[in-house]
Amino acid sequence: MINPIIAQAVEITEAYKRYENEPIPIREALCNKIQYPGMLPGPQEGDIFCGRCRERRIVHVGTMAFFGMPDYTPENNFVGKNGGYSFDYSAPYNMKLTDEERKIVEELAAYWKTESNQAIIRENTDIKFDGGFSGATDLDMLVTKGLPGIKDDVLAMPEGEFKDGLLLTLETVENVCLFYLKSAKEMGREDIAKNIDGIMNHPPKTVAEALQIILIFELLFHERHYEIHQLDVALGDVYAKEIDEGNLTQEQAIALIRAFYETINENGDATVCRLVMGGKGRRNEKNANRFIETALKAEQLHKRVTPQVTLRIYGDMNPDILKLAYDTICETGTMPLLYNDDAIIPAVAEAFGVSLKEAESYYPVGCGEFILAPHGPALLITNWNIPETVDQAIRAAGAPDTFEELYEAIMAHIKIHAMKLARYINVVTEVHNKKNAFLMASLVINDCIRRNKPLLDGGARYIGVSIMGHGYTNTADGLTSIKKLVYDEKKYTLNQITEALDANFIGYEDLHKEILAIPKYGNDDAIADMMVARLWRDMGAETKKAGEECGLDFHTMASANPHGHFMGKEMGATADGRLKGIPYAICNAPTAGNDKNGLTALMNSIIRGTPANGGATTNFKISHDFISKERGKFEALFATYWASGGQQASFAILNKGDLEAAQKEPEKYPHLMIRMGGWTARFIDLEPFIQEEILTRTLHQ
């Protein structure tokens, strides 16, 4: 008997072949029926909710899977986000296989090498990166209408293959619910069975039912990439009613929410899994805030890397919520992440070209790249190595007479690369649209049902992307150095700078010292800070233009993903004084250790930045004593930061010496969490070179 994972992969593959001539939605729906419930596990001892992920598998039908890429080998072992019909190309190398199983898996790999969405994308572009996408479910609609209400909406659609595909997909959802119902009854878990039966027959009436339906839809939509949009809006009214009628206590609600968090943490990939609450424009702000209070108290007990609990704040928000958020950050060390609507909403409106009302729907997906949720998918785009692009531009520029001429040459290179990325997005969209209707996503993302169109075929309101850029700070600080030493003081030539970089500053020690002495971003130095702001602004403008030319609804630049750790490891020296192999500055932060003038200076530098972007994460490494013992000072400082236009804050709260101690005795520090940039990680789980970068970040105390 072969491994059931392989058996299911064969069954899906055979169905894919068998339904080759069926319409795209029908083929996808019929393949998805094999996938779910498939090998889904039922509830386990101690579970409160159903919704655990399956075991590892090697074929996926849906929006996205974390799989080995088409060119995967033991040496080139990148695992990325594959969209649509996906095959895990790492399986032949990493699964324990019998001879019979190996033959089957290798045949499957050969077949999907030309049929998987990601393989086709790679055939049509020279960019070798992820081709999947995620999105943010309209949870308010899901909880308000429930499964029966969504089905009624689909039944009211005009007849056609898209409607038929959606109905088949809803059958799959119902089959999953029936599987859970049967499993719960067999375990004698009438509480779980009652919740499942409830969501099959009416919109959720209790917090438990609401959390259960969300877990099921998120599992079938995202599986390991949870994106929980406006959980407080979706559950606020249900929560308030159940509490006010005396059918639920806050302690019971905390236990339910904590169990919800635990399911996400167990299932989800550690680098994503966002959960957002708060924000301007909520329809039920009072009840939503009541839910936030309970959800934050649950997070104080949860203390795990996922979900990435995120709170959108604003000036008129109930101040008690922000105080509780600070309490929670002090307790957890990292959560919640804070986003300032007063600064971000007008910036998103400008960057995305939408109204202020539409900008209220911004959502920091995954690592923090903005999308307009739930109005469109979050297309995943290549990581942009900005220092590399700028270095190439500088070397190609020759010897410009002025810095402005050099900068224009750099922007010409930026424009070319931005256009290349925009065209790549078009390839990704076209390939996906020819292969999939993305039926689960189309059920819960506006306006697919209303428009009677699949997600990427005119159904979603917006199709666009926030590109993940890395190394802004290093690039801008390097340009500040070049401007000063080559053009203002004329002490060196541009060629001498590039020679020093090629030599990793060996033999150029005096030049290296001069570069390191030049003021850097993060110290309230107007010249250094404005170079960062200028680079952000101009790269964003070129990126936006490229998106418009390629017909995208938005095409913005983000700096939220911590991939700069890995890019820096492979990159030579840069003109800011960074040596070969050292990680880039992470996200919208100074190069580790370069901010030497205190927390206020750092905040002033950040505030000078360009607000109109696709998402920017700033990590603050702060001592536990400061936030706990000098709370008044901490709150006053951040109140000024928010009021002055500070957009975001991600915290790592720890004691002096904690990180060094954790390196020496990791078994004693399993609880120590740190912000990587776009996600939270246990410090002891990180690679040594990343630990060193975090160690050198300034601890503000």
Side-chain angles (χ1 to χ4, degrees):
M1 181 178 178
I2 67 170
N3 187 322
I5 297 168
I6 299 172
Q8 188 195 55
V10 171
E11 191 177 0
I12 292 174
T13 303
E14 290 305 313
Y16 177 83
K17 295 176 183 178
R18 185 165 61 251
Y19 302 127
E20 179 180 5
N21 296 321
E22 293 288 343
I24 291 169
I26 305 303
R27 184 192 211 184
E28 178 183 329
L30 292 173
C31 289
N32 209 29
K33 272 183 169 291
I34 299 168
Q35 183 170 239
Y36 298 113
M39 294 177 294
L40 285 179
Q44 308 296 305
E45 193 66 37
D47 285 353
I48 293 177
F49 298 112
C50 297
R52 290 175 177 267
C53 275
R54 70 188 64 205
E55 300 175 64
R56 172 197 175 95
R57 68 266 160 71
I58 56 177
V59 173
H60 176 72
V61 183
T63 50
M64 189 174 67
F66 286 83
F67 277 173
M69 305 302 274
D71 51 357
Y72 185 99
T73 65
E75 295 74 32
N76 180 31
N77 57 3
F78 181 64
V79 174
K81 299 167 184 174
N82 294 248
Y85 293 103
S86 305
F87 181 81
D88 186 355
Y89 298 93
S90 71
Y93 304 98
N94 297 332
M95 289 185 74
K96 291 183 179 179
L97 303 169
T98 65
D99 291 343
E100 179 188 6
E101 290 170 342
R102 181 166 298 281
K103 183 174 183 296
I104 294 171
V105 170
E106 288 175 352
E107 288 174 352
L108 289 171
Y111 177 77
W112 288 107
K113 195 78 172 181
T114 59
E115 287 294 321
S116 72
N117 294 36
Q118 186 62 48
I120 297 171
I121 289 168
R122 291 199 171 201
E123 284 180 4
N124 288 276
T125 176
D126 59 352
I127 293 179
K128 307 299 182 187
F129 195 66
D130 302 351
F133 66 86
S134 59
T137 300
D138 188 344
L139 295 185
D140 194 20
M141 178 275 293
L142 176 61
V143 172
T144 302
K145 292 188 173 184
L147 186 53
I150 294 174
K151 189 169 185 177
D152 287 343
D153 286 348
V154 175
L155 287 169
M157 292 169 61
E159 296 301 319
E161 60 195 39
F162 181 49
K163 174 182 179 179
D164 292 341
L166 291 176
L167 288 173
L168 286 169
T169 300
L170 286 169
E171 280 185 27
T172 298
V173 177
E174 290 168 347
N175 288 340
V176 169
C177 290
L178 288 170
F179 164 73
Y180 286 145
L181 184 63
K182 181 174 181 290
S183 300
K185 287 182 175 179
E186 288 174 351
M187 286 184 65
R189 291 296 303 273
E190 291 301 321
D191 55 335
I192 295 177
K194 181 181 178 183
N195 291 333
I196 298 294
D197 185 66
I199 64 175
M200 292 183 69
N201 291 289
H202 55 71
K205 296 179 180 179
T206 66
V207 170
E209 288 181 356
L211 293 174
Q212 180 64 85
I213 196 173
I214 290 170
L215 283 174
I216 290 174
F217 268 79
E218 282 294 308
L219 174 67
L220 302 185
F221 179 3
H222 290 116
E223 192 155 298
R224 298 189 183 278
H225 195 296
Y226 290 78
E227 297 296 348
I228 311 292
H229 171 62
Q230 289 196 325
L231 184 66
D232 56 319
V233 176
L235 270 79
D237 295 344
V238 175
Y239 170 84
K241 186 173 187 294
E242 199 173 6
I243 289 283
D244 293 345
E245 290 178 351
N247 296 321
L248 183 75
T249 67
Q250 187 179 55
E251 289 71 25
Q252 290 170 328
I254 288 171
L256 290 172
I257 296 168
R258 189 178 179 189
F260 178 77
Y261 292 164
E262 290 289 350
T263 305
I264 295 172
N265 185 67
E266 179 181 321
N267 285 353
D269 188 274
T271 61
V272 284
C273 297
R274 182 81 58 160
L275 186 156
V276 178
M277 298 180 288
K280 287 186 173 182
R282 291 173 293 165
R283 64 168 179 81
N284 56 349
E285 183 174 345
K286 184 177 179 181
N287 286 342
N289 283 348
R290 290 176 67 183
F291 179 84
I292 289 173
E293 177 188 347
T294 302
L296 289 178
K297 290 180 178 179
E299 175 59 23
Q300 291 180 15
L301 299 172
H302 177 60
K303 298 181 184 178
R304 299 289 189 274
V305 296
T306 59
Q308 295 187 72
V309 175
T310 300
L311 182 65
R312 287 174 46 179
I313 63 173
Y314 48 96
D316 295 333
M317 189 176 185
N318 182 340
D320 291 340
I321 297 294
L322 183 56
K323 286 183 178 294
L324 180 60
Y326 289 143
D327 289 341
T328 306
I329 290 165
C330 188
E331 181 65 29
T332 66
T334 59
M335 308 288 187
L337 319 179
L338 301 179
Y339 284 75
N340 179 14
D341 275 12
D342 292 328
I344 293 175
I345 288 174
V348 166
E350 179 184 345
F352 286 63
V354 298
S355 68
L356 288 172
K357 186 63 181 174
E358 288 176 302
E360 288 179 354
S361 70
Y362 83 87
Y363 175 88
V365 68
C367 292
E369 301 85 14
F370 290 155
I371 63 170
L372 298 171
H375 306 306
L379 290 159
L380 301 169
I381 182 62
T382 182
N383 292 300
W384 189 343
N385 189 330
I386 296 168
E388 182 178 62
T389 301
V390 171
D391 182 72
Q392 291 169 352
I394 289 172
R395 292 171 188 273
D401 292 331
T402 67
F403 178 78
E404 290 306 315
E405 290 177 1
L406 174 65
Y407 192 82
E408 286 179 12
I410 291 169
M411 282 302 120
H413 266 65
I414 296 294
K415 181 177 181 178
I416 292 169
H417 199 74
M419 182 60 70
K420 181 179 180 180
L421 296 179
R423 288 173 178 154
Y424 173 69
I425 283 296
N426 279 341
V427 171
V428 171
T429 306
E430 288 166 10
V431 170
H432 283 324
N433 197 37
K434 288 177 181 178
K435 299 279 285 186
N436 290 85
F438 298 109
L439 297 165
M440 273 303 301
S442 295
L443 283 171
V444 291
I445 288 181
N446 302 331
D447 298 291
C448 301
I449 293 175
R450 183 180 64 81
R451 292 178 174 178
N452 191 27
K453 291 177 181 287
L455 186 73
L456 300 181
D457 194 22
R461 193 177 304 176
Y462 300 109
I463 301 293
V465 68
S466 292
I467 298 169
M468 297 181 282
H470 307 283
Y472 283 102
T473 300
N474 302 96
T475 304
D477 281 344
L479 291 176
T480 300
S481 299
I482 289 171
K483 183 177 185 300
K484 179 178 176 64
L485 296 177
V486 176
Y487 291 101
D488 294 346
E489 298 180 355
K490 303 187 186 304
K491 294 182 68 174
Y492 299 92
T493 66
L494 198 56
N495 188 55
Q496 286 174 314
I497 299 291
T498 57
E499 287 176 353
L501 300 182
D502 290 339
N504 199 29
F505 292 107
I506 296 173
Y508 296 84
E509 285 77 11
D510 290 343
L511 170 58
H512 194 217
K513 288 180 182 178
E514 289 188 65
I515 287 176
L516 292 176
I518 293 171
K520 302 291 190 293
Y521 172 72
N523 295 287
D524 197 11
D525 181 271
I527 293 174
D529 297 344
M530 293 311 296
M531 187 67 80
V532 174
R534 182 183 185 185
L535 184 68
W536 259 95
R537 180 197 67 207
D538 294 343
M539 286 191 68
E542 293 297 342
T543 302
K544 186 175 183 178
K545 287 178 191 174
E548 290 170 350
E549 288 186 36
C550 290
L552 298 172
D553 294 311
F554 62 89
H555 194 226
T556 61
M557 289 294 299
S559 188
N561 182 306
H563 198 73
H565 281 120
F566 305 99
M567 282 187 173
K569 189 177 181 181
E570 303 299 323
M571 183 70 179
T574 45
D576 61 330
R578 176 194 145 275
L579 297 176
K580 179 180 179 180
I582 300 299
Y584 293 159
I586 301 303
C587 306
N588 187 37
T591 299
N594 273 0
D595 49 327
K596 304 178 185 299
N597 292 346
L599 190 53
T600 301
L602 172 60
M603 288 176 167
N604 287 339
S605 291
I606 294 167
I607 290 164
R608 286 194 179 104
T610 300
N613 56 60
T617 298
T618 305
N619 295 327
F620 291 90
K621 184 177 166 186
I622 292 177
S623 74
H624 195 276
D625 283 348
F626 181 47
I627 191 172
S628 60
K629 296 180 181 178
E630 298 187 64
R631 181 63 173 271
K633 183 178 178 181
F634 173 88
E635 289 190 18
L637 192 58
F638 272 92
T640 302
Y641 174 68
W642 303 127
S644 301
Q647 289 184 285
Q648 195 273 344
S650 298
F651 296 94
I653 308 297
L654 40 88
N655 293 311
K656 186 176 182 181
D658 278 352
L659 300 180
E660 293 85 349
Q663 282 186 314
K664 293 176 182 176
E665 299 180 284
E667 68 281 357
K668 294 183 179 180
Y669 292 85
H671 59 283
L672 188 61
M673 294 195 291
I674 197 77
R675 284 302 295 178
M676 287 278 287
W679 66 78
T680 295
R682 294 198 312 164
F683 181 75
I684 62 173
D685 292 338
L686 300 174
E687 295 182 50
F689 82 98
I690 298 177
Q691 289 185 344
E692 289 302 318
E693 189 274 336
I694 292 168
L695 271 167
T696 55
R697 294 179 190 173
T698 302
L699 177 65
H700 296 283
Q701 15 187 359

